[in-house]
Amino acid sequence: MTDAGKNSERSAYDVVVIGAGPVGENVADRARAAGLSTAVVESELVGGECSYWACMPSKALLRPVVARADARRVPGLSAAVQGPLDVEAVLAHRDEEASHWKDDGQVAWLESVGADVHRGTGRLTGPREVTVTAPDGTEHRLTARHAVAVCTGSRAVVPSLPDVEEARPWTSREATSAKEAPGRLVIVGGGVVGVEMATVWQALGSEVTLLIRGSGLLPKMEPFAGELVADALTEAGARIRTGVSVTALRRPAPDGPVTVELDDGDRIEADEILFATGRAPRTDDLGLETIGLEPGSWLTVDDSCRVEGTDWLYAVGDVNHRALLTHQGKYQARIAGAAIAARTGKTPLDTAPWGAHAATADHGAVPQVVFTDPEAASVGLTLAEAERAGHRVRAVDHDLAAVAGSGLYADGYRGRARMIVDLDREILLGVTFVGPGIGELLHSATIAVAGEVPIARLWHAVPAYPTISEVWLRLLEAFRG
């Protein structure tokens, strides 16, 4: 590992990456694969939010919850899985999947591809210049011959409320790393983090109350997705209140309960409160002012992820606000790393739509799975988004329970599928599935949307029988009439 503690020492690299989460790791990997010398700066754990506080621990918590729910719907097995989950074992497995919050393996991987890792806080101190402040306070200055890539991600937003600091609310980090299930948990927000954490902690023994400002859950997906997830959470015992906002928090005793005050005058007492109300870019202390940009802002980029108005600065992943998803950030990183290399003259630059150096999928082919019970998965545009964009479209729906594979998967299967057809080009603009076991079905939809596969050709993509994938045939039949 590079020694970043030599005060005033100056090191030059082809590429300097700020942030060693999955996005920064992938930029570094692609730059090194092109033969470019690369430094990576990280202030916390190499592996980032996804590895320790988001994707990996949350899905480790969700997996036994969903597996038990699935098993309870299978004749001959359901009676054997009616008991509670082993909370201690679930949390231990979560700890293992989060590598016990140690990054030795991730550091070793970065070093194996030839990147130098610098521990400390990286700040821009001028064009192509990054100053690293090590944990002991010493500084180390790095210069980039070709590019600096900002991959610092985003942080959870906690609203400004009376006594919010004293109330010590959870964010997604505390929700995924908690050492025990709270007796009563209030969750503010009905997006992905809110519904996934409601699913986890309700199943692990907490009494969960979801507070939603709007009218329903998962507002960025098709309406039926949030409705089906809400039905399941309610049946599991969670309380969902819509159209309400938190106005204040009170926790007079540090180890006591928190009182949540609502705008309708009601009060709720809980042991913990989780705010799952959005993200903000980690650019506050990045030194953006030294290059004429606004600290704390999202960074606007072109399709190669180069920051507008510069020829050397790249912003990749959450920080550019295009698609706040790990897999999409890694996709951008592969594009950006290749674009940086191309601009050094190593290969021809191709930034045309769907070209090697254009993150075109960000605009209309972003996939996402919400790992609740039932799962919700989507790619591309919803019906409302397609109509707002001016497309002439038709939504085609099918009851997933009416597919033979679904009936075999679970008794009492409930789910729904929708595809959005561009009537002028007869291709798919979006697909949504909701139901048990549909997460692995999403990539077929992603290929159809990203590949702009004509409906006429999809008719020849024969789904195996009896699988849930047969819903594709039923959707196409409904479209063709």
Side-chain angles (χ1 to χ4, degrees), residues 117-410:
V117 180
H118 294 256
R119 294 282 194 182
T121 301
R123 296 183 79 255
L124 294 162
T125 46
R128 296 185 175 85
E129 183 176 276
V130 176
T131 297
V132 182
T133 304
D136 64 4
T138 56
E139 293 185 348
H140 185 62
R141 190 163 298 171
L142 310 176
T143 57
R145 299 183 188 92
H146 299 296
V148 174
V150 175
C151 307
T152 49
S154 62
R155 57 177 172 79
V157 173
V158 175
S160 297
L161 294 168
D163 299 321
V164 67
E165 292 184 5
E166 292 79 2
R168 303 188 317 281
W170 280 5
T171 68
S172 53
R173 283 196 172 195
E174 290 78 20
T176 57
S177 61
K179 299 304 181 184
E180 60 183 12
R184 299 161 299 175
L185 174 64
V186 168
I187 298 176
V188 184
V192 177
V193 172
V195 297
E196 287 191 345
M197 290 300 97
T199 300
V200 165
W201 294 111
Q202 180 70 38
L204 294 181
S206 300
E207 295 179 7
V208 171
T209 300
L210 267 166
L211 303 177
I212 315 300
R213 179 182 296 176
S215 59
L217 305 181
L218 299 175
K220 294 184 179 181
M221 302 183 83
E222 297 285 7
F224 63 81
E227 291 165 5
L228 287 166
V229 171
D231 289 345
L233 280 171
T234 301
E235 289 173 10
R239 291 198 307 151
I240 301 174
R241 295 185 58 177
T242 59
V244 295
S245 297
V246 176
T247 57
L249 304 178
R250 302 280 184 267
R251 196 194 292 260
D255 298 326
V258 58
T259 299
V260 184
E261 299 183 5
L262 305 180
D263 60 354
D264 63 2
D266 198 5
R267 294 184 178 187
I268 302 173
E269 188 175 85
D271 297 291
E272 300 292 350
I273 181 169
L274 161 63
F275 280 101
T277 49
R279 310 284 298 180
R282 290 182 179 272
T283 60
D284 305 78
D285 191 31
L286 190 60
L288 293 179
E289 68 278 3
T290 67
I291 58 169
L293 296 175
E294 182 181 351
S297 64
W298 302 100
L299 297 175
T300 304
V301 299
D302 62 20
D303 275 357
S304 71
C305 293
R306 188 169 63 176
V307 175
E308 291 184 354
T310 77
D311 63 0
W312 59 275
L313 184 63
Y314 290 73
V316 194
D318 281 14
V319 76
N320 63 34
H321 208 229
R322 287 163 68 104
L324 278 66
L325 296 160
T326 295
H327 49 268
Q328 210 68 20
K330 291 166 70 173
Y331 160 72
Q332 293 173 13
R334 295 189 293 271
I335 297 293
I340 291 167
R343 288 189 171 114
T344 68
K346 291 184 175 293
T347 56
L349 186 68
D350 180 7
T351 57
W354 305 110
H357 308 118
T360 311
D362 286 349
H363 302 299
V366 176
Q368 180 173 23
V369 179
V370 184
F371 292 85
T372 45
D373 172 43
E375 292 176 338
S378 66
V379 62
L381 304 180
T382 63
L383 175 61
E385 289 170 339
E387 290 176 338
R388 282 198 300 268
H391 298 288
R392 194 171 67 92
V393 295
R394 176 183 163 195
V396 182
D397 291 358
H398 191 74
D399 181 0
L400 268 169
V403 176
S406 302
L408 292 169
Y409 190 91

Side-chain angles (χ1 to χ4, degrees), residues 1-17 37-41 116-118 123 125 127-132 139-148:
M1 185 181 300
T2 300
D3 178 6
K6 298 178 181 178
N7 193 33
S8 76
E9 180 184 345
R10 192 178 187 93
S11 298
Y13 293 87
D14 293 323
V15 180
V16 176
V17 180
S37 61
T38 304
V40 182
V41 183
D116 289 346
V117 180
H118 294 256
R123 296 183 79 255
T125 46
R128 296 185 175 85
E129 183 176 276
V130 176
T131 297
V132 182
E139 293 185 348
H140 185 62
R141 190 163 298 171
L142 310 176
T143 57
R145 299 183 188 92
H146 299 296
V148 174

Side-chain angles (χ1 to χ4, degrees), residues 450-471:
E452 298 181 345
V453 181
I455 292 285
R457 179 58 62 90
L458 283 176
W459 186 251
H460 296 280
V462 182
Y465 182 87
T467 65
I468 301 176
S469 292
E470 197 181 13
V471 70

